[in-house]
Amino acid sequence: MTGNHGGDWAAFQEEQGRAPLDFSASISPLGVPPGVQAAIRQAASEADRYPDPKCRALCAALAAREAVPKDWVLCGSGAADLIWRAVFAAGPKRALVTAPCFGEYEAALEAVGCEIRRFPLGEDFVLTDRILSRIAPGLDLLILCSPNNPTGRTINPSLLRAVIGRCGEAGTRLLLDECFLGFLEEPALYTGKPLLAREPTLLILRAFTKLWGMAGLRLGYGLSADAAFLDAMRRSGPPWSVSHPAQAAGLAALEEPDYAERVRALVRSERPRLFAALQALGLRVIPGEANFLLFQSRQPLDKGLRERGILIRSCADFHGLDESWYRCAVRTEEENGRLIAALREVLT
């Protein structure tokens, strides 16, 4: 897998000389919070200094927010940076991922020469307890994502607890990607965080990218009770990976909880409408729980939508999917309406 992603607005702009309406990247449609913008401007005036390589202030703030010890937190240049660091620090010989899943997992595993095994998700893309039989001694790393990208499906909480326990018994490190967790109505029900202290093989990844609309700043963090492994991750890449503006932006974002709730409220309102509108067009839509929807169309959509100034994410490069599958973000009511109108034109 090559690690293709959505959000390539630059290629579209180079091709068409205009900015797209971008549904291919699942980012908050409300833009960067005002307090975060102010922090970035202030940090720019201090760009003559090296950033803190250990992100001490931000790690302390995150530890307080997440109610974990400070040495359980590691910041990185987005979740992708932390995925690669985790894989290089673990050095797995055999790893298991779901199919479909985020492409960076396999890209990082291939870079260390790891044998990649896949667990195909069923027709409804829900993880089942059959995964438990695949977790055994000799499996070095399991990577799961909840809500999963690109399906938007969560892992049943009781199954997640069973998976975490089985990984501890088998000595399998579990990388649990929770980058879209903040979009759920009740995220506390679906996180693996309460089991961090009991299972040091568990590493949870989160990011400011999606919920806070900070994709261009690159900021994510990992949580693990295995402080030695976090230190190995820190040493598995270059220093100063998190810029001074990104650290300042992260601290400011933590002071704006109302913004996150406004984003959740928008998604809570617009996702069902977008789901129904896509279904009304005759598309097969997966009932995702995050801020995006996976859907299937037997008619190609990319070209027609690009001509109308709209980007969606082709899922042809995901294992378990093909060129008939697409992913679109949930955006504002007006923007979602423009997408549906364009789809109606293309499909008819």
Side-chain angles (χ1 to χ4, degrees):
M1 185 164 289
T2 59
N4 295 326
H5 302 291
D8 193 0
W9 56 269
F12 181 97
Q13 190 162 298
E14 184 178 54
E15 170 193 310
Q16 300 202 18
R18 55 174 173 162
L21 175 54
D22 191 359
F23 282 84
S24 71
S26 304
I27 309 297
S28 164
L30 299 184
V32 181
V36 174
Q37 294 184 41
I40 295 169
R41 287 192 293 269
Q42 175 60 35
S45 67
E46 302 167 353
D48 59 327
R49 299 186 303 172
Y50 281 104
D52 176 3
K54 293 187 176 181
C55 304
R56 292 173 178 84
L58 181 54
C59 284
L62 285 167
R65 179 186 178 89
E66 301 288 1
V68 298
K70 188 165 60 175
D71 63 352
W72 288 16
V73 184
L74 174 67
C75 292
S77 179
D81 173 44
L82 293 166
I83 290 165
W84 281 74
R85 287 175 183 268
V87 169
F88 272 78
K93 301 299 182 185
R94 284 170 294 279
L96 178 65
V97 299
T98 61
C101 68
F102 182 43
E104 283 304 304
Y105 308 147
E106 293 201 25
L109 293 169
E110 288 170 354
V112 298
C114 180
E115 175 192 334
I116 300 172
R117 302 173 180 178
R118 300 189 184 97
F119 181 83
L121 297 174
E123 199 169 299
D124 59 358
F125 301 108
V126 173
L127 189 72
T128 68
D129 59 7
R130 292 186 299 107
I131 189 76
L132 296 172
S133 66
R134 301 287 299 273
I135 305 170
L139 180 67
D140 302 310
L141 179 65
L142 170 64
I143 303 180
L144 296 175
C145 183
S146 182
N148 187 34
N149 178 13
T151 68
R153 307 306 298 262
T154 56
I155 300 173
N156 178 279
S158 61
L159 175 58
L160 179 59
R161 290 192 293 270
V163 167
I164 294 171
R166 183 66 62 88
C167 285
E169 295 167 1
T172 300
R173 192 169 296 280
L174 171 59
L175 190 163
L176 179 60
D177 185 339
E178 294 186 348
C179 286
F180 289 100
L181 190 79
F183 292 100
L184 299 182
E185 293 187 31
E186 297 183 273
L189 293 179
Y190 295 91
T191 179
K193 191 174 70 170
L195 298 180
L196 281 170
R198 187 193 312 170
E199 300 294 350
T201 57
L202 173 62
L203 169 67
I204 294 175
L205 296 188
R206 296 182 178 176
F208 288 83
T209 304
K210 316 293 184 181
L211 184 62
W212 301 97
M214 289 164 50
L217 284 170
R218 312 308 306 137
L219 180 61
Y221 61 98
L223 302 173
S224 176
D226 188 346
F229 183 69
L230 291 182
D231 188 58
M233 287 176 60
R234 183 181 293 109
R235 291 182 280 103
S236 293
W240 307 299
S241 64
V242 183
S243 71
H244 186 49
Q247 293 183 43
L251 285 166
L254 295 177
E255 298 297 321
E256 297 211 24
D258 290 346
Y259 173 89
E261 183 48 46
R262 286 195 295 123
V263 176
R264 278 190 286 267
L266 183 149
V267 172
R268 186 164 57 243
S269 170
E270 286 301 311
R271 187 179 58 226
R273 294 179 186 174
L274 184 58
F275 181 93
L278 292 169
Q279 275 197 326
L281 293 174
L283 303 170
R284 179 191 173 196
V285 191
I286 303 303
E289 299 158 77
N291 64 324
F292 55 87
L293 290 169
L294 177 69
F295 64 94
Q296 188 176 33
S297 170
R298 295 303 177 186
Q299 181 174 329
L301 301 175
D302 276 335
K303 184 174 183 293
L305 289 177
R306 290 178 76 90
E307 290 172 351
R308 291 161 175 80
I310 294 175
L311 285 180
I312 60 174
R313 173 71 158 93
S314 168
C315 294
D317 61 333
F318 286 92
H319 289 289
L321 301 178
D322 58 29
E323 65 279 354
S324 68
W325 288 95
Y326 299 90
R327 189 195 69 201
C328 69
V330 176
R331 297 190 61 83
T332 66
E333 181 178 3
E334 185 271 336
E335 291 170 324
N336 295 336
R338 289 169 61 186
L339 171 64
I340 294 301
L343 280 169
R344 187 176 294 114
E345 291 178 4
V346 173
L347 290 168
T348 57

